[in-house]
Amino acid sequence: MSNIVLIGMMGCGKSTIGQLLAETLHLDFVDTDTLIEEEQGLTIPEIFAQYGEDYFRNYEVAVANKLSQREGLVIACGGGLPLRDDAIAPLKETGKILFLNRDCNEIYDSVSMAGRPLGQGGRRAFLERFAQREPIYRNCAHYEIAGVSTVEDAMKEILEVLA
Ligand code: S3P
């Protein structure tokens, strides 16, 4: 069973939807941020503050390589993981990549940016970051899931594309 890999902007619902999807399909759930935090014994903001973004991105590459050797997982990726081709490519080889494309104004209005070092620059910076990333997300995804305003809609669309 190939993995199901969720990508998209921070706060789009990868972890919430991923957990539910894993339960529904009887698969194991892994969140790359949580894995990194557990392995490092530090929170994401602490890792960024102490070691910097490059260190974190290299760690994401290592985690992606490790997870791509496993099967039957639902994997919620940190929002910036697909920026590195050497992180997303191994996951794409052994999994179906789903881009959860939730409206970014809606994300910004409803999701806390606390604990998200790259979400600290205000709405405009958040929207600009998304504009830079959207083609990257789209380019590496097998499927784009557009109806992600509610978890129920997202689940329905995901289960349809996977069927
Ligand atoms: C990041 C997203 C975060 C986390 C880190 C960087 C990003 O994950 O990996 O703060 O660059 O978009 P979430 O997408 O789970 O918030």
Side-chain angles (χ1 to χ4, degrees), residues 64-84:
N65 274 290
K66 247 193 279 175
L67 292 177
S68 66
Q69 283 157 29
R70 294 173 56 189
E71 292 188 331
L73 299 177
V74 175
I75 302 169
C77 294
L81 185 144
L83 301 179
R84 285 273 299 262

Side-chain angles (χ1 to χ4, degrees), residues 7-15 31-34 36 44-45 48 53 56-57 60 76-83 111-113 115-119 126 129 133 137:
I7 63 167
M9 199 60 174
M10 54 189 111
C12 72
K14 293 165 294 198
S15 304
D31 183 309
T32 61
D33 286 340
T34 307
I36 293 172
I44 301 287
F48 269 70
E53 184 176 348
F56 177 74
R57 297 295 175 211
E60 285 188 311
C77 294
L81 185 144
L83 301 179
V111 177
S112 168
M113 289 296 144
R116 292 186 158 106
L118 299 184
F126 188 75
R129 192 179 291 282
R133 288 181 175 186
Y137 290 146

Side-chain angles (χ1 to χ4, degrees), residues 102-118:
R102 184 174 174 205
D103 180 81
C104 275
N105 273 301
E106 195 182 289
I107 295 178
Y108 197 82
D109 288 334
S110 60
V111 177
S112 168
M113 289 296 144
R116 292 186 158 106
L118 299 184

Side-chain angles (χ1 to χ4, degrees), residues 30-146:
V30 182
D31 183 309
T32 61
D33 286 340
T34 307
L35 197 61
I36 293 172
E37 289 184 324
E38 282 170 3
E39 286 188 9
Q40 291 280 286
L42 294 170
T43 64
I44 301 287
E46 284 168 346
I47 297 170
F48 269 70
Q50 289 182 30
Y51 300 110
E53 184 176 348
D54 280 356
Y55 174 89
F56 177 74
R57 297 295 175 211
N58 288 332
Y59 212 103
E60 285 188 311
V61 173
V63 162
N65 274 290
K66 247 193 279 175
L67 292 177
S68 66
Q69 283 157 29
R70 294 173 56 189
E71 292 188 331
L73 299 177
V74 175
I75 302 169
C77 294
L81 185 144
L83 301 179
R84 285 273 299 262
D85 191 54
D86 49 353
I88 198 66
L91 290 173
K92 192 168 181 176
E93 264 175 42
T94 55
K96 288 269 170 269
I97 313 269
L98 273 54
F99 167 29
L100 304 189
N101 194 359
R102 184 174 174 205
D103 180 81
C104 275
N105 273 301
E106 195 182 289
I107 295 178
Y108 197 82
D109 288 334
S110 60
V111 177
S112 168
M113 289 296 144
R116 292 186 158 106
L118 299 184
Q120 303 301 311
R123 181 187 302 270
R124 196 158 152 212
F126 188 75
L127 296 179
E128 278 171 7
R129 192 179 291 282
F130 176 70
Q132 283 166 1
R133 288 181 175 186
E134 188 177 25
I136 299 170
Y137 290 146
R138 207 162 255 154
N139 190 40
C140 63
H142 291 102
Y143 303 106
E144 179 170 340
I145 308 297

